[in-house]
Amino acid sequence: RKEVEQDPGPFNVPEGATVAFNCTYSNSASQSFFWYRQDCRKEPKLLMSVYSSGNEDGRFTAQLNRASQYISLLIRDSKLSDSATYLCVRISGTYKYIFGTGTRLKVLA
Amino acid sequence: EPEVTQTPSHQVTQMGQEVILRCVPISNHLYFYWYRQILGQKVEFLVSFYNNEISEKSEIFDDQFSVERPDGSNFTLKIRSTKLEDSAMYFCASSEPGQTEQFFGPGTRLTVL
């Protein structure tokens, strides 16, 4: 099993739709997780941290399920500007990031 | 808003040549990182650096790679003898003490011919 696994997509959704991505991880000892957003040929940008209690920031909600070893990202009311690749990240060791391959989202007008 | 900067944005070099990629981390950050992303692939960890020494490095970070903080602001990645497979986007990142969120620079695209 890959350390961090994501469905590469693409997910093509109409504007205004709700879309959800999952990410599974293999190391049950992992403590910290993040969702980053990456636009084409740009750097990853922090979207949000993921906590066991869940985390909501506007239209974005992140959840962590430790029992099943997955994290999720829910985007409500999708905008054209949400089109990007969403990267799941877990921390290993001393702040080393392990990235998933990313899930590509296209929001269509 | 403070940000990580990197130079150059694009570097083209011949196989076997040495390259130095430069980064200026956010000023109050003390942890520094290099990652790379081969085109179409995932972002991969190379090395982390704290208190003027390497904290952790990956299998990719072999003897051809080195990092340095030559002064109070710059953080460099040197590749001594580049190979074709070193062609990738190289991202520098930094983080505050006690914080796990890392902030990434815009990257240097390295092309080895």
Side-chain angles (χ1 to χ4, degrees):
Chain A
R1 188 176 184 181
K2 292 180 184 175
E3 288 200 74
V4 178
E5 199 154 1
Q6 296 183 253
D7 180 344
F11 284 58
N12 297 321
V13 301
E15 261 188 300
T18 295
V19 61
F21 311 133
N22 280 346
C23 163
T24 56
Y25 61 93
S26 58
N27 187 328
S28 60
S30 295
Q31 296 295 318
S32 297
F33 302 88
F34 302 93
W35 283 104
Y36 275 74
R37 170 197 168 123
Q38 186 176 33
D39 293 288
C40 188
R41 294 181 179 260
K42 301 283 189 181
E43 74 272 26
K45 291 191 176 177
L46 179 64
L47 183 64
M48 58 199 310
S49 305
V50 187
Y51 307 120
S52 296
S53 56
N55 189 19
E56 186 171 322
D57 183 3
R59 298 181 294 109
F60 299 84
T61 300
Q63 294 276 357
L64 166 61
N65 185 318
R66 290 195 185 277
S68 302
Q69 294 183 210
Y70 76 85
I71 70 172
S72 64
L73 177 68
L74 182 77
I75 306 176
R76 288 179 295 276
D77 188 22
S78 301
K79 313 286 185 198
L80 293 175
S81 57
D82 293 334
S83 297
T85 297
Y86 290 83
L87 307 176
C88 173
V89 177
R90 73 166 183 90
I91 288 191
S92 169
T94 314
Y95 306 140
K96 167 183 158 185
Y97 272 13
I98 306 292
F99 283 86
T101 51
T103 297
R104 198 163 154 218
L105 172 66
K106 287 185 181 178
V107 181
L108 308 171
Chain B
E1 186 175 327
E3 56 186 22
V4 177
T5 60
Q6 290 186 242
T7 54
S9 57
H10 191 190
Q11 173 93 47
V12 181
T13 190
Q14 295 290 327
M15 192 169 57
Q17 294 297 304
E18 174 183 288
V19 294
I20 297 176
L21 310 184
R22 291 183 167 79
C23 168
V24 179
I26 295 173
S27 61
N28 63 330
H29 288 188
L30 298 180
Y31 290 84
F32 314 119
Y33 314 85
W34 283 101
Y35 293 84
R36 80 170 186 192
Q37 186 175 31
I38 295 170
L39 187 64
Q41 298 186 23
K42 66 179 181 179
V43 179
E44 299 174 289
F45 170 80
L46 291 178
V47 65
S48 59
F49 190 87
Y50 170 70
N51 201 25
N52 283 320
E53 60 183 32
I54 290 174
S55 304
E56 192 170 354
K57 60 183 181 180
S58 71
E59 293 174 353
I60 303 167
F61 195 89
D62 61 21
D63 292 343
Q64 293 300 311
F65 291 85
S66 62
V67 288
E68 194 178 29
R69 186 148 164 86
D71 52 46
S73 59
N74 289 284
F75 180 52
T76 61
L77 175 69
K78 182 192 291 186
I79 310 175
R80 287 190 187 80
S81 178
T82 50
K83 305 181 183 69
L84 295 176
E85 55 265 35
D86 292 329
S87 295
M89 191 74 133
Y90 288 80
F91 293 110
C92 173
S94 67
S95 63
E96 286 185 72
Q99 298 293 323
T100 51
E101 293 90 348
Q102 295 179 19
F103 296 87
F104 287 76
T108 292
R109 189 190 309 172
L110 176 65
T111 302
V112 182
L113 303 175

